[in-house]
Amino acid sequence: MKIKSKLKSPFFEIGIKIVWFSFSIQTVFCACGNNDSKTITLLNVSYDPTRELYQEYDSVFAAYWKEKTGKIVEIHQSHGGSGKQARAVIDGLEADVITLALAFDIDNIAEKANLLPPDWQQRLPNNSSPYTSTIIFLVRKGNPKQIKDWDDLVRPGVSVITPNPKTSGGARWNYLAAFGFALEKFKNDSTKAKAFLADLFKNVPVLDSGARGSATTFTERGIGDVLITWENEAYLILNFPEKDNYEPVYPSVSILAEPPVAVVDSVAVKHGSHEVAKAYLEFLYEKKSQEIIVKNYYRPNNPELAEMYKSQFPALRQFTIDKDFGGWKVAQKLHFSDGGIFDQIYKPTEKK
């Protein structure tokens, strides 16, 4: 992707194209499916910060598939907050593959729409996560508020940008990283941990629906002293021309984010795309694809590449969703369901 001279341009233009695709492609699918024996169309419904990754990957996979089978595959993307994207698939958006921010969102599709089996996560290596990431901070140049750790986000006068955990998978990773820090700090006192998160969200002036929206709020709109964000999103911003305006901060502890992928079997079978959809996800684990993953600042699962690029991805202590939060089903119900802890601690009328 050619980066424009302004941060606004790539974020804005990519978003417009993808939204158009997510609606227009459904019309094509409903009308004719994949009837051309030499051309197959795939829709990848993904979450916010993967736009650039899949734009590059799609062209490489299409060339690979053409060489292997002689067939043309056209791949389109739909992006948004992970929770919103999952709801769109449940409500009828005909995704052939889903590449979302967390396993719960795909579990939700399996349970509520019955479009793929409950054991979908066992079909690919590493619990169907071909790459990982973590949550870090992005601050303004010089770090004028001296933000170094999660503690600093609850100080008076610090403006924090993070998306809405109700709609964004990245926001749920952000929230749980902060909650894990608070539990550790207060020796598993959940009451004090809740109060810590309540103080943090009092410092959040706006909740965007997805991670890319929050990045735009922080960079283009100039709101906030610190952006809580995916590591890859931070480094994408740091490679734009305005990179000198920001700097990354790694907190003392974060969380291992494992974005999973899955074929939406019922839809792919209907479209005649199941074979290529399966190959599309399996190819993510190949070394050539893992190199694209590294280039886009996701952490690779390929051990050789992980070692080769370890200086690019600083080591840090990380919580895990299974060990520290009981898995996504438990965490979702406790923290993000209606009436859960997030609803209890987030009071918009109390925002500064």
Side-chain angles (χ1 to χ4, degrees):
M1 182 187 72
K2 183 178 181 180
I3 301 297
K4 303 275 186 172
S5 61
K6 295 291 183 181
L7 180 63
K8 174 180 177 181
S9 298
F11 281 3
F12 178 77
E13 290 179 5
I14 292 167
I16 292 296
K17 291 176 184 176
I18 289 165
V19 168
W20 184 86
F21 279 146
S22 68
F23 287 96
S24 65
I25 292 168
Q26 294 311 301
T27 304
V28 174
F29 280 164
C30 292
C32 62
N34 281 308
N35 292 326
D36 186 337
S37 61
K38 291 187 177 181
T39 302
I40 300 175
T41 304
L42 287 184
L43 175 60
N44 176 7
V45 172
S46 195
Y47 65 107
D48 261 337
T50 59
R51 291 170 169 87
E52 293 77 19
L53 166 62
Y54 282 110
Q55 280 190 329
E56 184 170 357
Y57 173 74
D58 289 352
S59 62
V60 172
F61 176 78
Y64 157 78
W65 193 249
K66 180 69 164 58
E67 181 179 356
K68 179 179 179 179
T69 68
K71 295 182 179 180
I72 297 170
V73 57
E74 296 179 355
I75 306 149
H76 303 290
Q77 301 169 229
S78 170
H79 293 267
S82 188
K84 287 183 68 177
Q85 292 291 81
R87 171 51 58 186
V89 173
I90 291 169
D91 290 343
L93 180 61
E94 293 190 349
D96 298 275
V97 296
I98 39 181
T99 57
L100 297 179
L102 44 92
F104 176 80
D105 288 331
I106 301 182
D107 283 336
N108 210 23
I109 295 169
E111 179 181 342
K112 293 186 176 179
N114 197 31
L115 296 175
L116 67 164
D119 65 349
W120 63 270
Q121 203 166 8
Q122 307 309 313
R123 299 194 295 190
L124 289 168
N126 304 111
N127 287 325
S128 290
S129 295
Y131 42 83
T132 64
S133 190
T134 193
I135 302 302
I136 67 170
F137 307 152
L138 195 67
V139 299
R140 303 199 182 278
K141 190 66 176 178
N143 196 1
K145 294 293 179 75
Q146 292 300 294
I147 294 163
K148 298 178 181 178
D149 210 346
W150 296 99
D151 265 341
D152 298 313
L153 305 191
V154 303
R155 288 195 277 112
V158 173
S159 179
V160 180
I161 302 300
T162 185
N164 188 343
K166 290 287 194 173
T167 56
S168 166
R172 279 173 273 179
W173 290 117
N174 295 355
Y175 170 104
L176 290 176
F179 202 90
F181 171 86
L183 285 175
E184 191 173 85
K185 175 182 175 68
F186 297 114
K187 301 184 181 348
N188 288 317
D189 187 325
S190 60
T191 300
K192 290 183 178 179
K194 290 177 187 178
F196 181 91
L197 267 291
D199 288 341
L200 191 159
F201 276 92
K202 285 177 185 177
N203 284 346
V204 178
V206 58
L207 284 180
D208 291 290
S209 64
R212 183 54 59 86
S214 284
T216 301
T217 293
F218 185 72
T219 56
E220 181 186 331
R221 297 174 63 193
I223 299 174
D225 301 304
V226 55
L227 172 69
I228 311 175
T229 184
W230 295 92
E231 180 181 47
N232 62 285
E233 187 80 346
Y235 281 96
L236 176 66
I237 293 168
L238 290 167
N239 275 275
F240 282 0
E242 295 85 353
K243 63 183 180 181
D244 291 339
N245 294 335
Y246 315 102
E247 57 188 67
V249 172
Y250 280 80
S252 62
V253 63
S254 190
I255 194 164
L256 176 64
E258 301 172 286
V261 302
V263 174
V264 186
D265 296 88
S266 294
V267 175
V269 169
K270 172 184 174 182
H271 293 162
S273 63
H274 195 272
E275 180 186 9
V276 66
K278 184 171 177 285
Y280 178 79
L281 298 185
E282 291 173 343
F283 193 66
L284 282 166
Y285 292 84
E286 296 296 323
K287 186 176 179 180
K288 185 174 185 178
S289 305
Q290 292 278 299
E291 288 171 344
I292 295 171
I293 284 164
V294 170
K295 182 179 176 182
N296 285 274
Y297 305 102
Y298 285 91
R299 298 186 176 216
N301 278 327
N302 180 289
E304 180 184 345
L305 292 177
E307 177 64 23
M308 184 182 304
Y309 291 98
K310 62 182 180 181
S311 62
Q312 179 174 311
F313 302 107
L316 76 164
R317 194 161 55 87
Q318 296 173 308
F319 302 116
T320 67
I321 188 66
D322 291 329
K323 180 180 177 181
D324 298 288
F325 296 99
W328 266 115
K329 287 186 178 180
V330 172
Q332 177 71 26
K333 183 177 181 180
L334 179 62
H335 292 277
F336 309 118
S337 62
D338 290 343
I341 292 175
F342 176 72
D343 283 349
Q344 296 166 29
I345 62 98
Y346 180 62
K347 308 295 182 184
T349 57
E350 296 179 8
K351 291 190 297 181
K352 297 178 180 179

